[in-house]
Amino acid sequence: MAEQAQFEELARQLSAVGAVKRDMGRILPHDCPAGSAAVLTLLGRHGDMRMSKLAELLAVDMSVTSRHVAHVAARGWIERHPDPADKRSRILRLTPTGLDQLDELSRRTTHLLAERLADWTDEDVAELIRLMTRLRASFGDCRSAPLRLPEPVTQETTRTPAST
């Protein structure tokens, strides 16, 4: 198992990933903020879905999801159809214009990553993907699982046998 100092450094590095995400947010089209991009991306990845499922995947409440959906629907990127199983619910579906927007987002993101990681080898990129996938798997589906706070770190739990 890794040492405490390694976990502390990992926490710092994960916090710094926010800068990467902000840089990626800067390349989004002016009319497609990050929340809208997330809606398009999830519909592109998972297909048609109810708003409740989208809220779960976004890990935000329904009011936030509704605002994001209203934004993308106003631009014609998605359609809302009655759910045949429950007429009170709506099924969200990408439109051809939404698919075009999703393609544009993908092009921009891919270009930025290719530019910023130009000095990385294919093996480096593959290793990063492998490790990030493993990290996400270690955390499980944190969207639907109840939050479990770790036990507080105390002086006793951080002592090594040599220091006792």
Side-chain angles (χ1 to χ4, degrees):
M1 186 158 162
E3 297 289 324
Q4 183 71 24
Q6 289 176 302
F7 290 124
E8 290 169 358
E9 179 58 24
L10 178 58
R12 283 190 289 276
Q13 292 301 322
L14 288 173
S15 292
V17 168
V20 174
K21 288 182 73 171
R22 282 187 299 279
D23 214 17
M24 291 178 79
R26 288 184 191 104
I27 62 156
L28 296 175
H30 73 281
D31 61 342
C32 188
S36 297
V39 168
L40 295 176
T41 300
L42 289 170
L43 286 170
R45 182 178 304 140
H46 298 282
D48 301 355
M49 69 181 75
R50 286 182 172 187
M51 184 120 58
S52 58
K53 177 65 175 176
L54 181 61
E56 180 185 324
L57 291 171
L58 288 169
V60 297
D61 67 41
M62 285 294 283
S63 65
V64 174
T65 303
S66 292
R67 284 193 300 273
H68 293 321
V69 166
H71 182 88
V72 297
R75 279 146 188 81
W77 298 336
I78 66 166
E79 297 171 332
R80 294 178 270 200
H81 297 280
D83 183 345
D86 180 358
K87 297 294 183 202
R88 296 168 298 168
S89 290
R90 298 279 179 238
I91 299 291
L92 307 175
R93 176 176 298 137
L94 284 171
T95 64
T97 306
L99 287 168
D100 290 344
Q101 182 69 10
L102 186 56
D103 286 345
E104 177 61 20
L105 295 174
S106 179
R107 277 191 295 280
R108 288 177 184 226
T109 302
T110 301
H111 178 76
L112 177 67
L113 290 170
E115 179 183 282
R116 296 293 160 74
L117 305 181
D119 60 338
W120 289 40
T121 66
D122 289 347
E123 292 79 19
D124 290 340
V125 174
E127 182 69 0
L128 178 61
I129 293 167
R130 186 185 71 75
L131 290 171
M132 289 183 78
T133 301
R134 185 174 171 193
L135 177 66
R136 286 193 60 210
S138 293
F139 277 79
D141 185 5
C142 56
R143 291 179 298 260
S144 57
L147 178 63
R148 283 189 350 233
L149 295 175
E151 293 295 319
V153 177
T154 65
Q155 193 69 357
E156 264 182 38
T157 60
T158 58
R159 265 193 209 142
T160 61
S163 65
T164 55

